[in-house]
Amino acid sequence: MVCLGNICRSPMAEGVLKMKVELANMNHAVEVDSAGTISMHQGEHPDSRAISTAKKHGVDISKLVARQFTVNDFDRFDKIIVMDASNYTDVIKTARNSDDIKKVKMLLNYSNPDSNNPLPDPYFGGIEGFERVYQMIDKACDALIISLEKEILQS
Ligand code: 4NP
C-alpha cells in the first residue's frame, strides 16, 4: 500500500488489509506492508487521526513506522497498490520494465473497477475526512480480498 507520506492513507490500508487477511485465514499466502513516495515522514508512527480512526474500528496501527517506497519493493511484492494518480506517477517513474508497471494498481479500482478514482488525502482536513477515507479503504479491501482468494485458488 503506497501513499505520499505513509502516515495517513497507506498505514490505514495496511492495517485494514492485514485484519481482513487474518479473518480470511490467508496469512500463509499474503504479506502486507506500506510505504510513502516521499521520505519526509520516514521513521514516524502514523498521524494520530489515522491511529484513532483505525482504533475505533478495532485496528491497531499505532506501532507502524513510515518508510519510503524503493525500487526493491517491485521485487518484494506482487502488487503495488497506490492511493491516487500522483502516487501512481511517482511509483511508475521508478519502474524498470513493463513487469514492474503491471504490478501498480489503484486501490479504489478494486471496489470500482476501471474508475481510477483517487482515495482523497485527508491530511489537511479534519478527523471526519479520516473516517470517510477509512470507509472507502474498508470497501476496497473487501473487494481486494475476494480478488486475492480467486488468484490463490488459480495458482
Ligand atoms: P498520506 O498523507 O500521503 O496519506 O500519508 C499525507 C501525509 C503528509 C503530507 C501530505 C499527505 N505532507 O505534506 O507532509
Side-chain angles (χ1 to χ4, degrees), residues 3-10 38 40-41 121-124:
C3 66
L4 180 69
N6 194 207
I7 54 167
C8 299
R9 292 165 295 175
S10 61
I38 59 172
M40 189 195 296
H41 297 283
D121 183 351
Y123 184 68
F124 295 104

Side-chain angles (χ1 to χ4, degrees), residues 3-154:
C3 66
L4 180 69
N6 194 207
I7 54 167
C8 299
R9 292 165 295 175
S10 61
M12 286 200 285
E14 176 184 347
V16 169
L17 187 59
K18 276 181 173 165
M19 172 195 67
K20 291 184 190 293
V21 162
E22 269 194 35
L23 288 173
N25 286 317
M26 293 163 77
N27 311 44
H28 59 288
V30 181
E31 184 189 350
V32 185
D33 195 11
S34 69
T37 57
I38 59 172
S39 61
M40 189 195 296
H41 297 283
Q42 194 145 301
E44 293 176 20
H45 292 302
D47 186 286
S48 58
R49 297 163 296 176
I51 293 175
S52 64
T53 301
K55 190 176 173 189
K56 220 173 81 187
H57 296 280
V59 178
D60 180 12
I61 61 167
S62 63
K63 292 177 190 66
L64 298 183
V65 177
R67 70 170 180 94
Q68 188 172 22
F69 179 81
T70 80
V71 70
N72 297 332
D73 288 312
F74 284 117
D75 297 324
R76 281 184 60 203
F77 296 98
D78 301 312
K79 294 187 200 313
I80 310 292
I81 302 178
V82 298
M83 307 295 131
D84 63 29
S86 102
N87 307 150
Y88 186 88
T89 308
D90 290 339
V91 166
I92 290 287
K93 270 185 211 153
T94 68
R96 299 155 299 185
N97 51 48
S98 60
D99 285 340
D100 285 356
I101 292 172
K102 270 187 247 159
K103 291 185 176 188
V104 189
K105 320 277 184 193
M106 291 273 278
L107 178 64
L108 297 190
N109 281 357
Y110 286 99
S111 39
N112 285 92
D114 303 318
S115 63
N116 291 335
N117 284 337
L119 183 71
D121 183 351
Y123 184 68
F124 295 104
I127 186 85
E128 68 289 347
F130 282 74
E131 177 61 28
R132 201 163 72 86
V133 161
Y134 184 94
Q135 294 300 334
M136 295 163 97
I137 290 171
D138 190 66
K139 199 169 159 210
C141 286
D142 280 340
L144 174 52
I145 286 283
I146 291 169
S147 163
L148 289 170
E149 280 172 337
K150 281 186 192 152
E151 264 185 57
I152 290 165
L153 277 177
Q154 284 161 8

